Amino acid sequence: MSTHRYGDYSRDVSGWFLGMTGAQLALVTLAGLPALLALNAQAWSLFVLWLPVWAVLAAVLLVPVRGRAAGRWLADLILHAIGVLTGWAAFGSRAAAGTADDLAEADLPGVLAGIRTHDGPPFGHLVDRPVIVQDTAARTWAAVARITHPGIGLAEPGERDRMGAGLAGLCELAARTELVDLLAVHVRTVPDDGAERATWERAHVRGDAPAVATEVNALLGAMLTPAAVRTEAFLTVVAGEGRIARATKEAGGGVDGRARVLHGVMAEVEAALRGPVGCTAVTWLDSAALAAAVRTGFAPGDRGQLVAADLAVAAGARVATGVPMAGAGPTAARAEVRHYAHDAWASVTDTILLPDSGALLGALAPVLVPTTAGERRCLTVFLAPLPLERATRLVGREEMSATTGNELRARMGFRQRARQRRDTERIGAAEEKLATGRALVRLAAAACVTVPASWPVAEHGRRLSASVRAAGFVPLRLDLAQDAGFAAAAIPLGVGLPNRRGRR
């Protein structure tokens, strides 16, 4: 195990004054205005009566309860109830209803509804045509790659550290391009369906094989295949419209112009992946491959049929293969309070909060280990490199907030606690690294477990949280936002978590 512990991170949002954001400070001040007016008018009874009200309002606005303030919980609960009553929380595909006019047009639920896909111009020496993913709601453009990595389980500590440095270099490269909004690393552990094994057995079976050998082979397949898993990894490169608009005009405009801009970024990212990061294969997905990846994200059990059809065509059979983009999503989906139901499956998503003590490279591996046969685990890590000017501004604001808080505590006679000292040291270290040319990266992670809908999904959600805690991290269930969490954790389209900044 690598001995390098990564802990140079700080809170994502630091308030302007004593940890409060500008909106929170304004609301708390407004709530306390009647008390100040009563104090100025020496209306002592009104002042005493309003103080508890002020304290309750401040607690509702400021005190976090499982990642959200009480006021935010109330607003989200009201919005979820409205969605259930109006039918917005339920989804039915156009393909299932028989109203899909264009089978190449994506039809996805929830936050994925704005996804559109385009076949880009030829890319690379093999003249492939990677699909360009457009998110009309977030105004972003993305490309998805399937990556193969040998893993770090058997790597020496020095090699692990080099891979970690390679990942940091990839983030710095993305920041220097000033075109990349987000890098999303998506990993799945999928139950093995045995499709490849069954095809190989049919091709290599011998009629004169001993009966005992045939029986033993069938018994081993029946016992081991349900317990086996496959690992899939994807990398999604997301570029915002605001960042690539100027370069797009120079590249000819339109979808092809945006694709050419992305091609340049993709080439740089691929070089970094094959080099310092240590990937052995990087394949940018075309429309058919992306549709299959999205479909197996929503329905893990469909992978066996898709693979069996591809293998049959390779053997000379004439059968239909793949899945159209219009059929890549679920036929029906419903967002519940604590889980997400899609077709015959149910999923629970947790966000992952970083521990104060830091983490080792590869520490999240237990999150991807299924606790029972047939369980699918997904993990997505979002890396958002910030431009140098914005990073410097954020670190300066954090330093100002920390300095103001320390001085106020010192004047009030409170001693500085260990966590506050560590936060101040981390801010100073971040400023030093920015001065040497390093990049500031906004980090988020989400983990998802998917099981058949007939299974006790709440129990498997509890096991996922236990796996996160066993890895040394803090799980936070995305209550009332399980559909958005599932899209972020299980579908490699570059759609991130809801834009609400939490603890880290």
Side-chain angles (χ1 to χ4, degrees):
M1 179 66 79
S2 173
T3 58
H4 192 286
R5 183 172 290 272
Y6 298 88
D8 293 337
Y9 44 77
S10 60
R11 192 180 298 272
D12 187 14
V13 172
S14 292
W16 291 95
F17 182 75
L18 291 179
M20 291 185 288
T21 63
Q24 287 176 331
L25 180 60
L27 290 173
V28 170
T29 304
L30 251 141
L33 194 58
L36 296 176
L37 293 176
L39 181 64
N40 184 57
Q42 296 185 355
W44 305 115
S45 58
L46 180 60
F47 176 75
V48 171
L49 287 174
W50 188 255
L51 274 182
V53 178
W54 188 13
V56 170
L57 291 175
V60 168
L61 292 171
L62 302 178
V63 178
V65 180
R66 294 186 60 81
R68 285 178 252 184
R72 174 63 69 182
W73 274 110
L74 181 60
D76 289 346
L77 187 60
I78 292 173
L79 290 175
H80 184 270
I82 293 174
V84 172
L85 291 175
T86 56
W88 296 342
F91 168 81
S93 70
R94 291 192 293 267
T99 59
D101 298 326
D102 184 4
L103 294 181
E105 182 179 350
D107 181 23
L108 301 174
V111 295
L112 300 175
I115 294 294
R116 300 291 181 268
T117 57
H118 311 275
D119 289 327
F123 169 73
H125 61 281
L126 296 178
V127 198
D128 297 323
R129 293 173 65 89
V131 63
I132 305 301
V133 181
Q134 178 189 8
D135 189 342
T136 58
R139 300 184 70 248
T140 60
W141 301 81
V144 186
R146 184 188 298 273
I147 59 178
T148 303
H149 193 277
I152 62 175
L154 300 178
E156 297 294 331
E159 187 177 357
R160 291 191 179 196
D161 291 340
R162 285 193 296 272
M163 290 179 182
L167 181 59
L170 175 61
C171 294
E172 292 169 8
L173 170 67
R176 286 194 296 270
T177 65
E178 297 186 352
L179 297 173
V180 177
D181 275 344
L182 185 70
L183 296 173
V185 182
H186 174 75
V187 183
R188 296 176 183 169
T189 52
V190 186
D192 193 358
D193 45 57
E196 290 90 344
R197 176 185 172 88
T199 302
W200 186 91
E201 286 181 344
R202 285 195 298 269
H204 294 83
V205 66
R206 294 179 55 180
D208 59 346
V212 175
T214 302
E215 184 178 353
V216 169
N217 182 69
L219 182 61
L220 287 174
M223 293 180 62
L224 298 181
T225 299
V229 295
R230 290 181 172 272
T231 301
E232 301 175 333
F234 303 88
L235 175 73
T236 306
V237 181
V238 183
E241 177 67 30
R243 291 198 180 190
I244 66 172
R246 182 175 179 180
T248 296
K249 292 180 181 178
E250 298 174 353
V255 174
D256 284 354
R258 292 173 174 84
R260 294 187 187 99
V261 174
L262 278 177
H263 285 177
V265 176
M266 289 156 57
E268 295 185 57
V269 170
E270 181 175 346
L273 289 173
R274 292 181 180 272
V277 178
C279 292
T280 57
V282 179
T283 305
W284 297 98
L285 303 185
D286 57 13
S287 294
L290 181 64
V294 173
R295 181 58 191 167
T296 54
F298 280 102
D302 287 3
R303 179 191 177 275
Q305 301 173 16
L306 296 174
V307 171
D310 291 337
L311 293 175
V313 169
R318 301 184 61 182
V319 296
T321 61
V323 59
M325 186 58 71
T331 56
R334 186 178 67 259
E336 302 290 353
V337 174
R338 304 211 73 193
H339 73 273
Y340 182 56
H342 44 99
D343 289 341
W345 305 86
S347 298
V348 175
T349 304
D350 283 354
T351 50
I352 299 176
L353 306 181
L354 299 175
D356 291 331
S357 58
L360 299 175
L361 185 65
L364 283 171
V367 179
L368 290 168
V369 179
T371 57
T372 186
E375 184 181 87
R376 199 271 304 273
R377 294 284 184 97
C378 297
L379 173 67
T380 303
V381 178
F382 301 94
L383 305 167
L386 301 181
L388 179 60
E389 292 184 1
R390 186 178 177 188
T392 304
R393 187 168 61 251
L394 287 175
V395 171
R397 190 172 69 185
E398 289 178 353
E399 185 177 14
M400 182 183 67
S401 178
T403 302
T404 303
N406 291 336
E407 290 181 356
L408 284 175
R409 279 187 289 268
R411 290 186 180 183
M412 295 172 65
F414 297 106
R415 68 182 184 87
Q416 193 177 25
R417 303 179 68 88
R419 177 175 295 183
Q420 295 160 356
R421 286 196 301 271
R422 287 201 306 269
D423 289 343
T424 303
E425 292 170 358
R426 286 172 179 172
I427 293 171
E431 187 179 16
E432 291 291 335
K433 291 181 178 180
L434 283 177
T436 60
R438 305 300 293 271
L440 183 65
V441 179
R442 174 171 282 142
L443 175 67
C448 173
V449 58
T450 301
V451 296
S454 58
W455 290 15
V457 63
E459 171 62 19
H460 288 275
R462 186 196 63 78
R463 295 180 185 180
L464 175 65
S465 300
S467 297
V468 174
R469 286 190 293 269
F473 296 79
V474 181
L476 182 63
R477 183 71 57 86
L478 281 178
D479 294 333
L480 303 175
Q482 283 290 309
D483 53 343
F486 174 82
I491 309 299
L493 291 176
V495 175
L497 295 169
N499 191 22
R500 292 178 184 171
R501 304 304 178 192
R503 291 171 53 182
R504 295 194 183 276

